Amino acid sequence: MKIKFSWYVIVLFAMLNQIGFAQNSVKGRITDKTNNKALPFASVYLPEQNKGTIAEKNGEFVLTNLPKGELKIQFSYVGYKTIIRTIFAKNRETILNIEMEPAILQAEEVVISGGTYSTQHENAIKIDLIISKDIASIGTPTFIEALANIPGVDMIAKGTGVAKPVIRGLSMTNILMLNNGVKMESFQFSENHPFIIDEFGIDRIEIIKGPASLLYGSDAVGGVINVLKEKPALTGKILGDYNMQYHSNTQGVVSNLGVKGSSENYFWGLRGGVKNHTDYRDGNGDYVPNTRFNEYSFKVNAGINKSFGLFRLYYDYNQPKLGMCVGDAVPLTTENGRKNKLWYQDLTNHIISTRNALFFGKFKIDLNAAYQMNNRRLQTDENKPSFEMVNMDLNTFSYEVNTYLPSTADSEYIVGLQGANKTNRNSEAPNHVLPDADVNDFSVFGLAQYTFFEKLIAQAGIRYDFRSISTEAEINKEAVNADYGNVSASLGATYAVNKNVLLRTNFASAHRTPNIAELTQNGMHGARYEQGTPELKTQRSYEADLSTHFHSEYVMVDISGFYHSIHDYIFIAPTDDTIASGDKIYRYSQTNSKVYGSELAIDVLPFNWLNIKTSYAYLIGKQDDGSNLPFIPQNKLRFELKFQKQKLAFLKNTFFKVGGLIAAKQNNPAMFETETDSYYLLNAGIGTDIKWANQMVYLSVQANNLLNETYIDHLSTLKGMGYYNIGRNISVNLKIPLRIYEKH
């Protein structure tokens, strides 16, 4: 089903009473509220226009070539509260003076994954985020593992290279991964198939925990992870940076180099990176065979920024080769090496995307489209009759048109449509894990947000999705032709009790249609025989969230609880049936289930030089018959003490931190799982900014599993083979910024 959406844009244009192409500007001065002193080099950024500048030495700033209508401007400065100001540009010049308040703990950040550009306090749903610098300092071989520092987020892993995110106990196609707003499609139905994305050239990662089908459609019943690209260079500058990491455990070398530039109306950037790791070693010093992985990536972007619109074009290329620690590979792996020789996933992913915004007075229209080309090959043993067991191509074209209707200081309204066409094709490789198939999606939605008496922000929305799935018949797979139509809805609110306390609640209904694997599989996949069920129904979920946020000058606390009821939850489990070889058949089935729990995060600054953080995540996943759901992580307590000094001799932003993780015993395994013992990990790190060649260079050293504990995490898929998780790993992280050109 192919949808023509040009009519939609034409109708919207006809609704416009006036078109504001006049060039506007904003200027003002940024000062400290307590003493009225200028804040030189404060950052001024317009997230919707994707442009920014910095204040002069006297605190003054100027932004030009701006559209007419609503503008959101973000002001930030180290040691001060981030400020968001919304103005309605009607004249050619707007004066905006900003007074910033000192703040050691940053309680409010700008996020975009909730549908609008807003601060955390303006969102009905809590959006967690982690910035790129924090990812580097965590010191893990993959950035998916770094995300597990967020309460309620964990990962399923087959070693260090193959990792899948878990949000509140849900994973696989219950979780959406976005590459700068583009839904990633990379065979994510299995724990052995990771999302093909890296941490190079990103600004931050935003995480929605809980149903998000209203904004993102099917497959977002568990949550969304949005990986957002780095901001363009400031106007009139060409900047670059070189980043390098070394990991002692895997002898891993990770590096990337990027360059970006910006003028008044144009911006561009490019970045290349490489990862190279050997097989990792456990706490006993034994290497885990064939867990090595390598990856190459290249990214380029270009854009035009005019008063009437913003036009951006991106190209991302990733080619990971991921070793698979499976039974057939173990006896053939006779030494710890870097090169992938046997039993590895040979993956290639191309993404071409365009993200555009048109400004028409009080209206704004987002026009976005993307094309993904994903190839998955499974290379096995060259002594086998067919070295290449799997060769599949998944191509996806997606589009969306979102219209931001005229708003006020208290209201915001969005209507939109989204669609996608996916094709899966097999080559002559003998194993067709998935049949040739076509999937077509189309959806429409509406979202409204309104502020009542300055304290209560309410958000409500509704969405309709249509999906058509058509597969080709094969020798052991019947053809599937099925249509699914579903409605999603949400209602949430944030209430400011006072300037320090926020109450937040959200009720959401979401859905997930069965994927191709769940409907059609009938054969060996990895080390087990998997069988789909063509009669599977749409999975429907209902979740209620309630949270409290407290912040003061020195303390920040977040407490949340949730209850997630899932009707017709789709999962795979062993049966009593076997194939000719005697292996059990694992079959997809459905049952009503529930997942519930709570999360706690505390951030305390008793002294300017000491920051104490702790978090705890508690989770239960049950079927209605009382049996346990699979892949439910252990309850985990994390803590960190960070000693910091803004200036220390010739060093800046120096820190030393010590922390750890306590994972409770998981004594509620699913039917094909076993209990997992508790474990404790100790971590430590040190870092600083060093002035070199008239610029700051960032250097940090992080030691994870400092005591070299031998342990197994409950979500490790190597547990059944008796292999432990990674032992002590010391990582060195270096970032060198490059100032290439600056217009005077």
Side-chain angles (χ1 to χ4, degrees), residues 262-279:
S262 181
S263 64
E264 183 65 32
N265 296 317
Y266 304 96
F267 55 90
W268 56 270
L270 56 90
R271 183 174 296 274
V274 61
K275 296 181 180 181
N276 181 257
H277 292 265
T278 66
D279 304 332

Side-chain angles (χ1 to χ4, degrees), residues 82-268:
T82 297
I83 293 177
I84 301 293
R85 288 286 183 266
T86 301
I87 65 171
F88 295 86
K90 298 180 180 179
N91 304 314
R92 289 189 173 273
E93 183 176 88
T94 301
I95 305 299
L96 183 62
N97 294 318
I98 298 297
E99 294 180 333
M100 303 189 71
E101 297 182 54
I104 302 173
L105 289 177
Q106 186 59 257
E108 201 167 7
E109 296 285 352
V110 176
V111 291
I112 69 172
S113 299
T116 63
Y117 290 87
S118 58
T119 65
Q120 286 280 28
H121 292 179
E122 296 171 337
N123 273 308
I125 56 175
K126 178 71 164 60
I127 299 178
D128 291 278
L129 61 85
I130 181 170
I131 62 175
S132 58
K133 189 174 182 180
D134 289 342
I135 293 174
S137 66
I138 291 172
T140 56
T142 64
F143 87 98
I144 295 296
E145 187 175 353
L147 300 184
N149 284 265
I150 301 292
V153 181
D154 221 291
M155 71 169 185
I156 300 170
K158 184 180 285 294
T160 51
V162 181
K164 298 288 291 288
V166 178
I167 300 179
R168 290 179 171 175
L170 297 182
S171 55
M172 314 305 171
T173 46
N174 290 299
I175 301 295
L176 271 184
M177 177 77 78
L178 306 180
N179 183 342
N180 206 40
V182 177
K183 296 180 187 179
M184 298 214 66
E185 298 290 348
S186 51
F187 306 106
Q188 58 264 33
F189 66 90
S190 165
E191 65 268 23
N192 293 332
H193 304 165
F195 292 102
I196 306 176
I197 189 171
D198 60 49
E199 67 275 23
F200 300 156
I202 69 172
D203 177 61
R204 66 192 187 280
I205 301 173
E206 297 181 356
I207 302 171
I208 298 176
K209 293 181 289 190
S213 289
L214 175 68
L215 291 172
Y216 300 104
S218 177
D219 303 351
V221 296
V224 172
I225 299 174
N226 194 2
V227 181
L228 297 167
K229 293 188 179 295
E230 61 187 322
K231 299 172 183 175
L234 297 176
T235 301
K237 294 186 177 183
I238 299 177
L239 305 173
D241 59 85
Y242 172 73
N243 304 270
M244 187 279 291
Q245 281 186 327
Y246 176 76
H247 296 269
S248 64
N249 187 288
T250 61
Q251 302 176 47
V253 179
V254 180
S255 63
N256 69 93
L257 174 67
V259 180
K260 59 184 179 180
S262 181
S263 64
E264 183 65 32
N265 296 317
Y266 304 96
F267 55 90
W268 56 270

Side-chain angles (χ1 to χ4, degrees), residues 337-601:
R338 296 181 179 274
K339 186 176 180 181
N340 297 102
K341 298 179 180 179
L342 50 85
W343 285 101
Y344 65 93
Q345 296 185 56
D346 187 355
L347 310 176
T348 304
N349 193 54
H350 304 265
I351 301 180
I352 303 171
S353 63
T354 178
R355 304 190 67 79
N356 313 292
L358 299 176
F359 308 108
F360 296 93
K362 296 181 179 180
F363 289 82
K364 188 186 83 164
I365 302 174
D366 286 343
L367 299 172
N368 304 321
Y371 188 69
Q372 299 178 59
M373 295 169 283
N374 188 295
N375 175 255
R376 178 177 183 267
R377 300 184 182 189
L378 177 61
Q379 312 287 15
T380 59
D381 180 5
E382 59 186 7
N383 295 319
K384 286 182 175 293
S386 179
F387 176 54
E388 185 176 87
M389 290 293 291
V390 176
N391 189 337
M392 291 191 296
D393 287 298
L394 177 62
N395 297 330
T396 305
F397 172 71
S398 58
Y399 61 87
E400 62 178 349
V401 182
N402 299 328
T403 302
Y404 296 76
L405 302 176
S407 62
T408 66
D410 295 325
S411 64
E412 198 146 14
Y413 308 97
I414 308 172
V415 294
L417 63 82
Q418 298 172 351
N421 171 261
K422 291 178 278 189
T423 61
N424 184 73
R425 298 292 184 266
N426 290 275
S427 73
E428 296 302 318
N431 191 5
H432 291 190
V433 178
L434 303 179
D436 291 354
D438 294 273
V439 180
N440 290 282
D441 292 336
F442 178 73
S443 61
V444 292
F445 73 93
L447 179 70
Q449 181 170 299
Y450 196 86
T451 302
F452 299 90
F453 47 86
E454 297 184 352
K455 286 192 172 184
L456 178 64
I457 301 173
Q459 186 184 83
I462 191 168
R463 176 191 182 102
Y464 176 77
D465 285 275
F466 175 83
R467 170 169 288 181
S468 172
I469 299 178
S470 175
T471 73
E472 295 290 331
E474 296 189 353
I475 295 176
N476 62 340
K477 296 182 177 75
E478 293 183 2
V480 171
N481 288 280
D483 295 336
Y484 304 88
N486 297 279
V487 175
S488 304
S490 73
L491 175 64
T494 297
Y495 178 69
V497 179
N498 53 48
K499 68 176 184 179
N500 300 115
V501 179
L502 287 174
L503 298 178
R504 181 181 281 117
T505 186
N506 188 62
F507 302 91
S509 171
H511 66 89
R512 179 175 79 79
T513 62
N515 60 48
I516 299 172
E518 294 163 343
L519 294 170
T520 67
Q521 266 193 293
N522 193 17
M524 292 300 297
H525 183 219
R528 66 192 187 193
Y529 193 96
E530 297 181 355
Q531 192 173 79
T533 304
E535 297 80 19
L536 291 175
K537 298 181 291 186
T538 295
Q539 176 181 300
R540 167 67 62 180
S541 68
Y542 304 90
E543 180 171 309
D545 287 85
L546 180 64
S547 64
T548 301
H549 170 82
F550 169 81
H551 67 271
S552 65
E553 188 174 359
Y554 301 106
V555 179
M556 189 159 56
V557 180
D558 278 291
I559 305 174
S560 62
F562 65 94
Y563 186 91
H564 197 166
S565 176
I566 310 173
H567 295 186
D568 295 316
Y569 178 72
I570 302 172
F571 68 102
I572 190 169
T575 67
D576 293 330
D577 299 328
T578 61
I579 59 176
S581 63
D583 291 327
K584 278 191 173 186
I585 295 176
Y586 284 70
R587 185 175 294 129
Y588 287 99
S589 58
Q590 291 185 292
T591 185
N592 293 339
S593 304
K594 53 185 175 291
V595 181
Y596 57 92
S598 59
E599 295 146 9
L600 170 68

